[in-house]
Amino acid sequence: MAKTSAGRLMSEWYDVSLKKEALPHRNSVVITVTQGAAAAFGIDDDDDKYSVSEMSVGATKNEKQGKNSREAFGKPGFTKNHLGLERMKSVVAETHMTDTESSSTENCKPDTEESTPVPPFNSGQEEEGSPGEGASSKTRRGRDDDSIVSSEVDDIDTLTGPSSFALFAQTKFQLRTTHVYSCAALQGSLLPKHDRADTLASLASWVTILRVMGDLPESSGQFLSVIGEEPSIISKVKAGFKRKYTRKDLDDTQKKYSEYFKDPVSAEVSDIPFLPSGKETMLEKIQYLCALGIYRTDLRDELYCQLCKQLTNNPSRNSTVRGWVLMMLFAGCFTPSEKFAPCFRCFLKEGPTEFTQKVEKLTRRTSVAGTRGFPPSWLEFQAAKNSKPILLPVTFMNGQRILIEADAATTVRELSNNLAETLDFSDNEGFSIYVCLHQKISCLGHGLHRIMDAVSECEQHTKQMGMRESSSLWRLYYRKEYFTPWHDAKEDPSSTDIIYQQVMRGISLGEYQCQKEEVFVLLGAQRYYLEYSEVTDQKKLDNLCRNWFPDAWKEEKGVPYFVQKVEEAVTNNFGSKKPPHADIKADIVTFAINKWSLMFSRYYDASKVTGPGVKVNGPGFTAVNVVVGLSGKGMYVLDNGDSIRVQLPFYEMSKIVKHRHTVNITTVKDEEYSVMSNHSDDFHLLLASFIEGLQMRSKYAIVIDNKQDLKKGDLITLDKAVKEYKKLDPFRGVCQRTGKPCDVPRDLVCVLNTVDEPSSEVLTMFTVQLERDTQVFRNQDDGRPHTLQKYSRYHFRQPNENAVTKMFNKASIKRGKGKSDLIWQFSRDPIKKPLLRKSLNRDDTRLMACRTFTAVQQFMGDALLKDNVTDIELANRWIVEPASRSRYLRDEVFCQVIKQLTNNSNKSSEERGWLLLLMLATTAIPGEGLYDEAQKFVRSSPLPIAKLCGERLERAKTRGCRLWPPHPAEHDMLSRKLPTVRVKVYIPDNTCQTFDVTSVTRIIDIKREVCTRLGLKTWEEYSLFMSFQDSVHSLQENEYYFDALSHAEMYWVSQKAAIRARLSGPLTPVLVMLKKVWVNIKPGHDSVADVCFHFPQELPNFIRGYHQTTDDVTARLASLAYRAKYGNEPKPLKETFSEVSKSIAPKKLLQTQSSEYWSKTITQYYDESKDLSQDQAKASFLKVISHLTTYGSIFFEVKQRAQKDLPKNLLVAINMTGLHLIDSNTRRMLRTLEFSQIPNWAFDEDSITLMVIDGTNTTKMLLETSVGHNMDDILMAYISWVMNTQMRKKHGFAGSPAGESTC
């Protein structure tokens, strides 16, 4: 009867997460409000339009009663009370932070040292490290002396900056100001600026931040703002920087700010540069601040420093919460520069965990996705201040809708991948996201554009039309944009079904046109067979024909004519034989590929196209302002009338070269086409992927030289695709001319870019060209390892060209090659300047680039490691982290590692270099141009680890890279050349599953594998949790396992240092899989789930007495629990009852009757079930308990003091039917709240507050609990599930808009 370790673990988990009692000190503390971010922002009319759930319509109906809508129309986001003025008066009274009382009080008065005028602009004099991100000038380049760099490279403090924000402020701030909270005016920017406009914008941002945080009151003037007449936020920001400012402008502005802070309520602010007038809403203020950081790189560190200053020792809870919400929105828009980034990470470690972990994650994701193009949308602001995820409704072409989770850094590619995974697509290539607003539709593709930028742009358009952002009715669609040349509709039935729905709907609406009546009739017959059956019904046929055939045809021939035609087609094609539905859908999709190839294309606006036959409206063979399309059939050039001017199939293309804004295409006829477009990167990427994919899948090659029995121009049909040969040589195939099998060397043939057998006309064209010149057909790969030699000519810095170096270079040229020409290959000498020009021209990356190269040499063993640091600290802190933070350092570090791997004769150094490249390939993505070079480099190496590097690079580009550097366990795995790490996942039935986890294993991969091994019928409702000594946290499905582990150790484990010190061993997280959303729970529906999850998760709830049961039901359940746990025990139950009673029945219920009564009754039921096995007893237990209202609930013990009609101690049960309030003593059901009655909620570490709708009234219910994060997670999971279930039942093309931002 002894419990296993897994059993003890699960009991501890339930004791911690579900039976979490109030902390002892709470007995003397009355919690009056949950300190949520939404509450900190006060009343905002638009808040009523935000609801976590679409079902909660009461929130929008219950508008502020008694308010005049006209008065609230132009009202700012704050209440009419001047919160900032009250803050300035009451700061002195804040005594709960005694260590900062004096400094905070003094800083809020305008007579401190901050009021002393300090020159904000240094007239050419610069402090060390003063230039902002991206700042560059001729004078600053002059100080980049080799001696300065070499002396600073080894100084860690100089490179990383101060480790704390206080030290950073002391060394980097140009003003004599502190790093702590202050309400006083700044006399200049905190960080030095080289542009007067940046200084003025910094002063304006300081005032705006104070307004947002409630530390400065708004002007008392009455503003009448008409939505749509004001210019956009971005236009205001750009207009401010277009002006030229003088020193007098700076001095005048400083005086105005001094006067303004004396009386911020009555002061005039209309003529202060960059400062908003005060009539803006809270959203507009936040958008303005974010727009400053997006538009000006030099202001990003300034904005972060101002906000960090206000969050340090802030005595006000509301102000602090507002500041952290603003920090989250900053982190989703832009990241700090390399100068401030290390200090910022340290600052986050010291902040409140509920906010800092979100900021940390957003910062890392923004570092990967890049700076966004638009400020945050209304939807993002509402989600941030309500601490909720963003749920985007997406409509498919079959009319169904689904909610998909996103955040500010979610790219279109990431969203597309998540949708494809949800729909179980094997390949989502060619699917794209479309956004629609007021009958205007735009293709977002599936690239690196941010999905929330599209939402923000839609809201801005809505605002310009005279409506609020919250009223923007945008919609998102997911549909097929183009097909790959090798697309096979039978390979992926799930995606084929969606494409089939898109094709059939497009035909019925006239999007895809067909002029042949017999084709229309056959398609109609196929549609009838798929939707109904082979049995014809006149009513169904009539309905189909009325909606299927064009109106002109129906008017000409009548509906009965087509009914007869379709009926005959159904009888002839499906009367005797009944083909599978999947085959018919695949045939229809294949027909669409061949029939409407132009409709399934990706189009690009080209400013100029040159080449044979493209003359449209330009001189010579030139077309200006045309459209270039790429489809599965080739490249098209279309004029303004959509007429095809040039069609170039893929098999004619031999070479593709990308320049800055131009893509050059060379054909086998030795003709060259040039396409100039602002979208040249995406055009080249798609075209190159088509060519490479065709070559890898091709089975056809043409002989380019005469050899033995083979003649020039012979077609060789290979016995398998080229990619299956890998690096084997020669090819094996059959010569079409002789019909004989043959072995052909790789360098003797040219693989054709096609998966279809070429026609005789194509072969004739190739033969004619081979007689003219064979060079264009020869493989450019000479078998030698690829290097960065060619790449370095265009992207690497030029070597120093002073008199001394010129002399030595000339001397070395006589002997062979100079050192300056070999900058792209291995070197033992440290670099004194970055390799890349773009790194050299940036102050924030110049020194760090040199230090990373030193770290690369030290990690590879080519330089002495002076500091006492471990390999993982060296790799993570000095190589991987800088590469993941900055896109400029990212390319620099990749070039440095590839450089040190090129012509490296030291095998040990080379081995560690490849290990370092593997880490980088997992955690960072090089730029577009360098990515191709890196792939060529790893593919040219025969080492197995090189192949793994190539796979990681490709996966990072398509699926996204890791956010955290390698975990110590992962680093140990890589160092020992192990492919995986063993991880245990505990199951509620006292068992565990062991998995081999790689660096790119995600949480959803582990979950699906568990479900597959156990044989569960469904997997969506389960979730993985990380369990600790005193807390349990749910893991996000799309997160990488090692990222989740690093995040947990940073924010969930490290904060328990005091507890861990009292333990005998280290506090390590445990991975547990549980049923999170209790759906598909009918006993017997899934017997494996019943045994492994349902019974072991329900039994503890029953034993704790959470269910209200009669004595008879309790005895029956106890007997079944005993048999399920112990089976047919040889000892009678009467003899062991006292020992096992606490493990089979509720303790409180056992006290209601005598021990003899319960022993006798339970034994009687136990004897009646003697024929049941243990698994059958578990199923019977579930059948009995499933009749209870609280079946399938997760329980939380809470306290409440606000509502008198409810007892103090409550039991909250959450299941599929809603949230149930239960009397903790009597177990009587007091109230049931459906999810539609809970539009919103907020939680902190001590409580959770629910917004409850009851008819026309909205109330707030405050519950005291220390597991508010678990309640929030469970509520969000159920509401998301219910909303998705309801949305799937709705048709997305009718009724309410599919993508409204009120979700």
Side-chain angles (χ1 to χ4, degrees):
M1 296 182 188
K3 280 188 178 182
T4 63
S5 59
R8 288 194 299 272
L9 170 72
M10 295 309 302
S11 296
E12 291 174 0
W13 185 90
Y14 281 110
D15 288 337
V16 167
S17 66
L18 304 184
K19 200 179 178 182
K20 189 78 174 181
E21 296 181 357
L23 296 178
H25 74 274
R26 290 186 190 157
N27 294 330
S28 58
V29 177
V30 177
I31 300 176
T32 58
V33 65
T34 297
Q35 296 294 343
F41 275 91
I43 301 174
D44 191 344
D45 289 340
D46 280 346
D47 288 351
D48 288 338
K49 300 181 180 179
Y50 176 80
S51 171
V52 178
S53 170
E54 272 192 343
M55 305 173 294
S56 306
V57 295
T60 56
K61 293 179 181 179
N62 184 28
E63 297 289 345
K64 299 284 187 297
Q65 297 181 3
K67 277 195 174 184
N68 191 329
S69 59
R70 292 187 178 182
E71 294 179 359
F73 183 73
K75 191 179 74 66
F78 281 142
T79 57
K80 292 185 177 180
N81 295 327
H82 299 303
L83 301 181
L85 188 58
E86 293 177 359
R87 179 83 64 254
M88 297 175 70
K89 294 178 180 178
S90 61
V91 163
V92 182
E94 297 286 344
T95 58
H96 67 280
M97 301 180 65
T98 56
D99 57 329
T100 62
E101 180 181 358
S102 59
S103 61
S104 298
T105 305
E106 291 176 358
N107 288 335
C108 291
K109 298 179 180 179
D111 56 352
T112 62
E113 61 182 1
E114 285 187 326
S115 299
T116 304
V118 178
F121 190 76
N122 289 332
S123 302
Q125 298 180 358
E126 301 173 359
E127 297 181 11
E128 181 183 349
S130 60
E133 182 188 6
S136 176
S137 65
K138 294 181 180 179
T139 57
R140 292 202 305 281
R141 290 186 185 179
R143 69 184 178 95
D144 187 21
D145 187 75
D146 294 345
S147 61
I148 297 177
V149 176
S150 61
S151 64
E152 291 181 341
V153 163
D154 295 327
D155 188 357
I156 293 179
D157 291 335
T158 302
L159 292 169
T160 61
S163 58
S164 69
F165 181 64
L167 188 57
F168 182 90
Q170 292 177 8
T171 57
K172 302 297 182 181
F173 283 7
Q174 68 170 353
L175 299 176
R176 289 178 293 175
T177 183
T178 62
H179 68 287
V180 298
Y181 172 85
S182 171
C183 295
L186 293 180
Q187 298 301 315
S189 59
L190 295 178
L191 300 176
K193 298 290 182 290
H194 301 277
D195 191 333
R196 294 187 178 93
D198 290 338
T199 303
L200 292 173
S202 300
L203 296 175
S205 67
W206 172 254
V207 175
T208 309
I209 287 177
L210 293 181
R211 289 175 175 175
V212 171
M213 296 179 66
D215 299 325
L216 193 68
E218 298 286 358
S219 175
S220 61
Q222 298 295 327
F223 301 104
L224 179 60
S225 175
V226 179
I227 299 179
E229 292 188 356
E230 290 288 331
S232 65
I233 298 295
I234 298 178
S235 300
K236 291 181 180 179
V237 171
K238 290 183 178 180
F241 284 104
K242 287 180 180 179
R243 287 185 52 190
K244 297 295 182 180
Y245 299 96
T246 63
R247 184 57 183 267
K248 185 177 181 300
D249 294 330
L250 287 174
D251 296 337
D252 293 343
T253 302
Q254 291 170 1
K255 294 178 182 178
K256 292 177 181 178
Y257 277 119
S258 299
E259 294 297 324
Y260 172 71
F261 272 81
K262 293 179 181 178
D263 186 9
V265 177
S266 304
E268 178 63 34
V269 298
S270 59
D271 57 344
I272 300 180
F274 290 99
L275 183 64
S277 60
K279 61 183 178 181
E280 295 81 9
T281 64
M282 178 63 69
L283 174 62
E284 290 172 338
K285 293 183 181 70
I286 293 176
Q287 288 177 337
Y288 184 78
L289 289 170
C290 293
L292 287 175
I294 293 172
Y295 187 70
R296 299 288 286 191
T297 57
D298 288 354
L299 289 177
R300 293 171 188 172
D301 284 356
E302 179 74 25
L303 290 167
Y304 274 108
C305 286
Q306 290 179 3
L307 192 49
C308 290
K309 172 180 170 63
Q310 286 303 94
L311 288 172
T312 303
N313 295 350
N314 192 324
S316 169
R317 169 68 180 179
N318 278 358
S319 177
T320 301
V321 170
R322 290 188 181 200
W324 280 112
V325 171
L326 183 58
M327 185 76 81
M328 280 190 283
L329 296 171
F330 278 0
C333 294
F334 51 86
T335 58
S337 72
E338 191 58 32
K339 289 184 178 181
F340 185 60
C343 175
F344 182 65
R345 294 280 171 87
C346 295
F347 179 83
L348 293 179
K349 294 178 183 178
E350 301 172 357
T353 305
E354 62 268 24
F355 295 112
T356 55
Q357 60 180 344
K358 296 178 182 179
V359 175
E360 168 92 13
K361 183 177 180 180
L362 272 176
T363 303
R364 292 183 180 275
R365 284 178 52 77
T366 303
S367 298
V368 176
T371 304
R372 63 183 300 175
F374 284 83
S377 63
W378 173 86
L379 184 60
E380 292 173 75
F381 175 51
Q382 295 296 328
K385 75 177 186 178
N386 286 280
S387 299
K388 299 296 183 297
I390 301 173
L391 299 178
L392 298 177
V394 181
T395 304
F396 305 116
M397 289 300 99
N398 58 2
Q400 292 184 350
R401 301 164 63 198
I402 191 173
L403 285 173
I404 197 78
E405 187 172 332
D407 62 17
T410 300
T411 62
V412 177
R413 176 183 295 171
E414 185 179 355
L415 185 68
S416 178
N417 291 336
N418 293 342
L419 287 169
E421 194 166 43
T422 303
L423 297 172
D424 202 22
F425 288 0
S426 61
D427 182 22
N428 68 330
E429 179 70 24
F431 281 93
S432 297
I433 306 293
Y434 291 75
V435 61
C436 178
L437 178 68
H438 302 302
Q439 307 303 321
K440 296 180 180 179
I441 191 167
S442 175
C443 177
L444 303 178
H446 56 274
L448 299 179
H449 303 292
R450 298 223 199 175
I451 190 67
M452 296 312 300
D453 275 349
V455 174
S456 181
E457 188 175 4
C458 289
E459 291 185 2
Q460 294 299 320
H461 281 295
T462 301
K463 186 177 179 182
Q464 292 175 5
M465 297 173 62
M467 297 182 289
R468 288 192 178 276
E469 298 93 333
S470 56
S471 303
S472 182
L473 299 180
W474 46 266
R475 309 180 186 186
L476 293 178
Y477 294 95
Y478 186 64
R479 54 177 284 158
K480 193 74 171 179
E481 182 185 6
Y482 63 85
F483 291 97
T484 57
W486 54 86
H487 184 87
D488 187 353
K490 296 183 179 180
E491 289 184 352
D492 190 358
S494 298
S495 65
T496 298
D497 178 67
I498 296 293
I499 301 170
Y500 158 78
Q501 299 286 354
Q502 176 180 333
V503 171
M504 300 305 277
R505 184 173 183 274
I507 294 174
S508 63
L509 295 178
E511 180 182 0
Y512 308 125
Q513 306 234 344
C514 182
Q515 304 301 328
K516 295 184 179 180
E517 180 182 305
E518 58 272 17
V519 174
F520 243 108
V521 170
L522 179 59
L523 289 172
Q526 291 173 325
R527 179 178 179 181
Y528 181 88
Y529 174 72
L530 292 173
E531 294 182 3
Y532 304 106
S533 66
E534 72 281 0
V535 179
T536 58
D537 180 89
Q538 291 296 320
K539 186 176 181 180
K540 295 178 181 179
L541 283 171
D542 182 78
N543 182 57
L544 181 141
C545 292
R546 291 184 183 277
N547 297 320
W548 177 249
F549 290 95
D551 293 337
W553 293 12
K554 289 183 291 185
E555 292 178 0
E556 180 182 356
K557 298 184 178 181
V559 174
Y561 170 81
F562 291 106
V563 170
Q564 180 182 356
K565 289 288 186 180
V566 172
E567 184 177 8
E568 293 175 357
V570 170
T571 304
N572 296 334
N573 291 278
F574 310 112
S576 56
K577 54 183 179 179
K578 301 177 180 59
H581 286 197
D583 292 347
I584 297 179
K585 292 180 180 179
D587 291 341
I588 294 175
V589 171
T590 303
F591 170 77
I593 294 174
N594 299 320
K595 175 68 176 177
W596 299 293
S597 60
L598 272 180
M599 300 298 297
F600 291 99
S601 303
R602 171 164 287 183
Y603 291 100
Y604 303 89
D605 292 325
S607 57
K608 184 170 70 173
V609 178
T610 60
V614 299
K615 182 177 181 181
V616 179
N617 50 8
F621 298 104
T622 305
V624 180
N625 297 329
V626 292
V627 175
V628 177
L630 284 179
S631 72
K633 301 299 181 181
M635 185 187 81
Y636 304 88
V637 178
L638 290 79
D639 58 17
N640 295 332
D642 292 338
S643 300
I644 300 176
R645 293 296 182 175
V646 173
Q647 181 176 352
L648 189 64
F650 294 119
Y651 57 77
E652 290 190 21
M653 302 180 188
S654 61
K655 186 179 180 181
I656 304 172
V657 179
K658 167 73 170 59
H659 298 291
R660 185 173 183 182
H661 294 297
T662 305
V663 177
N664 294 334
I665 305 169
T666 305
T667 69
V668 295
K669 299 178 182 179
D670 203 20
E671 299 172 340
E672 185 167 322
Y673 293 85
S674 178
V675 179
M676 181 180 294
S677 173
N678 291 331
H679 309 285
S680 57
D681 289 338
D682 187 79
F683 175 76
H684 172 260
L685 179 64
L686 184 59
L687 181 58
S689 67
F690 280 176
I691 298 298
E692 182 181 5
L694 285 169
Q695 288 183 343
M696 291 294 101
R697 293 168 174 81
S698 177
K699 293 184 179 181
Y700 304 99
I702 192 168
V703 180
I704 59 177
D705 276 327
N706 297 323
K707 186 175 182 180
Q708 297 179 357
D709 295 338
L710 298 177
K711 294 183 179 180
K712 188 185 297 184
D714 282 350
L715 179 66
I716 306 297
T717 303
L718 307 179
D719 58 354
K720 54 185 177 182
V722 172
K723 65 179 179 181
E724 298 180 23
Y725 281 95
K726 298 180 180 179
K727 293 189 176 182
L728 297 178
D729 195 7
F731 291 140
R732 180 178 294 272
V734 177
C735 178
Q736 295 297 316
R737 180 178 57 83
T738 63
K740 297 180 180 180
C742 57
D743 292 337
V744 187
R746 284 177 177 261
D747 57 358
L748 189 64
V749 296
C750 173
V751 178
L752 301 182
N753 305 330
T754 181
V755 292
D756 301 321
E757 183 174 353
S759 61
S760 57
E761 292 80 3
V762 174
L763 292 177
T764 302
M765 179 196 67
F766 275 94
T767 304
V768 171
Q769 296 303 319
L770 282 170
E771 294 298 334
R772 295 179 181 176
D773 183 18
T774 62
Q775 189 63 34
V776 71
F777 295 94
R778 296 190 181 277
N779 189 1
Q780 302 297 325
D781 186 7
D782 54 6
R784 293 183 298 180
H786 184 78
T787 68
L788 294 179
Q789 183 177 10
K790 185 177 180 181
Y791 181 83
S792 65
R793 298 175 188 173
Y794 303 99
H795 301 279
F796 279 19
R797 60 172 170 81
Q798 295 299 318
N800 295 329
E801 288 296 336
N802 51 41
V804 178
T805 55
K806 281 184 178 180
M807 180 181 67
F808 279 106
N809 282 343
K810 290 178 180 178
S812 61
I813 289 173
K814 295 178 180 179
R815 296 192 301 269
K817 291 183 178 179
K819 280 188 175 182
S820 60
D821 296 329
L822 303 177
I823 192 175
W824 46 270
Q825 71 172 4
F826 176 80
S827 173
R828 290 188 178 275
D829 300 327
I831 61 174
K832 299 179 180 180
K833 294 180 181 179
L835 297 179
L836 294 175
R837 295 174 184 171
K838 59 183 180 181
S839 301
L840 178 65
N841 295 335
R842 301 182 66 84
D843 291 325
D844 63 323
T845 59
R846 189 181 301 120
L847 295 180
M848 181 57 75
C850 299
R851 181 60 181 93
T852 56
F853 184 78
T854 302
V856 169
Q857 289 182 313
Q858 292 171 341
F859 185 87
M860 296 175 65
D862 300 320
L864 181 63
L865 183 59
K866 298 179 181 179
D867 303 321
N868 187 20
V869 296
T870 60
D871 283 350
I872 184 172
E873 183 181 357
L874 182 67
N876 287 356
R877 182 181 180 187
W878 296 109
I879 303 173
V880 179
E881 277 280 16
S884 63
R885 281 197 305 256
S886 171
R887 64 188 180 99
Y888 299 99
L889 283 176
R890 199 169 301 151
D891 286 0
E892 175 73 26
V893 173
F894 267 101
C895 287
Q896 291 176 1
V897 177
I898 294 176
K899 163 187 166 67
Q900 291 303 98
L901 285 172
T902 303
N903 299 335
N904 190 338
S905 58
N906 188 331
K907 296 300 181 183
S908 175
S909 173
E910 183 185 21
E911 182 178 325
R912 292 181 64 82
W914 278 108
L915 176 63
L916 190 57
L917 185 61
L918 181 61
M919 295 181 190
L920 284 172
T922 307
T923 55
I925 309 173
E928 196 65 47
L930 184 59
Y931 175 83
D932 296 334
E933 295 291 328
Q935 281 287 19
K936 292 177 182 178
F937 176 78
V938 298
R939 289 173 183 173
S940 64
S941 174
L943 298 176
I945 194 173
K947 179 183 177 183
L948 187 57
C949 287
E951 294 174 355
R952 294 286 172 83
L953 282 171
E954 184 176 358
R955 180 185 177 88
K957 191 172 184 64
T958 56
R959 299 293 309 176
C961 65
R962 293 265 303 277
L963 299 181
W964 289 78
H967 187 269
E970 180 186 2
H971 190 273
D972 181 66
M973 172 191 74
L974 297 175
S975 300
R976 295 166 58 187
K977 300 181 181 179
L978 299 176
T980 58
V981 171
R982 286 291 179 92
V983 173
K984 289 185 177 180
V985 178
Y986 290 90
I987 310 299
D989 65 344
N990 296 343
T991 62
C992 71
Q993 296 285 334
T994 304
F995 296 91
D996 293 328
V997 175
T998 68
S999 298
V1000 292
T1001 300
R1002 296 177 301 159
I1003 298 299
I1004 192 174
D1005 300 330
I1006 300 176
K1007 187 178 80 168
R1008 284 187 166 183
E1009 181 64 23
V1010 172
C1011 296
T1012 302
R1013 288 188 186 182
L1014 297 179
L1016 298 173
K1017 292 185 178 180
T1018 56
W1019 59 270
E1020 294 90 347
E1021 61 265 34
Y1022 299 91
S1023 184
L1024 286 176
F1025 296 81
M1026 271 195 180
S1027 175
F1028 303 100
Q1029 183 68 17
D1030 63 343
S1031 64
V1032 176
H1033 295 268
S1034 178
L1035 301 179
Q1036 294 185 358
E1037 292 187 346
N1038 291 322
E1039 196 171 16
Y1040 288 99
Y1041 169 75
F1042 282 114
D1043 280 352
L1045 193 58
S1046 298
H1047 178 88
E1049 292 181 355
M1050 175 66 70
Y1051 292 103
W1052 301 339
V1053 178
S1054 60
Q1055 62 179 333
K1056 311 299 179 184
I1059 300 177
R1060 185 171 55 207
R1062 296 195 299 266
L1063 300 177
S1064 58
L1067 184 62
T1068 56
V1070 178
L1071 209 58
V1072 184
M1073 181 167 169
L1074 298 167
K1075 185 141 190 173
K1076 185 176 182 179
V1077 180
W1078 281 70
V1079 294
N1080 304 319
I1081 55 175
K1082 183 179 181 180
H1085 173 74
D1086 188 345
S1087 58
V1088 177
D1090 289 343
V1091 173
C1092 296
F1093 293 93
H1094 298 164
F1095 174 78
Q1097 285 187 239
E1098 271 297 330
L1099 180 60
N1101 295 335
F1102 168 68
I1103 294 174
R1104 295 189 185 104
Y1106 288 157
H1107 298 290
Q1108 186 180 25
T1109 57
T1110 62
D1111 291 350
D1112 184 66
V1113 173
T1114 301
R1116 182 184 295 274
L1117 290 173
S1119 67
L1120 292 172
Y1122 183 83
R1123 183 169 295 280
K1125 296 183 69 174
Y1126 307 114
N1128 293 317
E1129 279 286 321
K1131 291 185 179 181
L1133 178 60
K1134 293 182 179 180
E1135 298 181 9
T1136 61
F1137 181 77
S1138 59
E1139 302 176 7
V1140 302
S1141 60
K1142 295 181 180 179
S1143 64
I1144 63 173
K1147 181 180 179 180
K1148 287 186 177 180
L1149 289 180
L1150 292 177
Q1151 296 173 353
T1152 59
Q1153 300 285 349
S1154 65
S1155 177
E1156 292 76 10
Y1157 169 80
W1158 286 112
S1159 176
K1160 178 181 178 181
T1161 309
I1162 295 175
T1163 302
Q1164 180 181 353
Y1165 281 115
Y1166 175 75
D1167 294 336
E1168 292 178 0
S1169 63
K1170 59 183 178 180
D1171 295 332
L1172 298 179
S1173 64
Q1174 287 182 280
D1175 288 349
Q1176 290 173 338
K1178 294 177 181 178
S1180 299
F1181 178 93
L1182 293 174
K1183 288 180 181 178
V1184 175
I1185 206 171
S1186 63
H1187 295 289
L1188 302 178
T1189 306
T1190 52
Y1191 171 60
S1193 297
I1194 298 179
F1195 294 86
F1196 301 90
E1197 294 182 359
V1198 302
K1199 293 182 178 180
Q1200 73 87 28
R1201 308 174 194 265
Q1203 300 191 18
K1204 297 181 180 180
D1205 59 332
L1206 295 176
K1208 178 180 178 181
N1209 296 317
L1210 289 174
L1211 194 62
V1212 174
I1214 304 176
N1215 61 15
M1216 198 62 189
T1217 59
L1219 184 145
H1220 309 280
L1221 299 177
I1222 303 171
D1223 191 319
S1224 183
N1225 295 323
T1226 65
R1227 297 299 190 256
R1228 183 173 60 90
M1229 184 77 67
L1230 302 175
R1231 187 183 304 176
T1232 296
L1233 301 175
E1234 298 180 357
F1235 294 121
S1236 59
Q1237 295 178 261
I1238 312 174
N1240 204 354
W1241 63 91
F1243 73 94
D1244 57 18
E1245 59 183 7
D1246 295 319
S1247 64
I1248 183 170
T1249 297
L1250 306 176
M1251 181 181 293
V1252 179
I1253 296 176
D1254 185 9
T1256 59
N1257 299 322
T1258 300
T1259 59
K1260 293 182 180 180
M1261 182 180 296
L1262 175 66
L1263 306 175
E1264 297 179 31
T1265 176
S1266 61
V1267 289
H1269 64 282
N1270 293 121
M1271 294 184 67
D1272 167 76
D1273 177 54
I1274 298 299
L1275 276 172
M1276 198 68 239
Y1278 271 106
I1279 287 181
S1280 298
W1281 185 280
V1282 173
M1283 290 171 66
N1284 267 321
T1285 302
Q1286 292 184 355
M1287 293 180 73
R1288 287 190 177 100
K1289 297 177 181 179
K1290 297 179 182 179
H1291 200 280
F1293 302 113
S1296 61
E1300 60 272 21
S1301 58
T1302 54
C1303 174

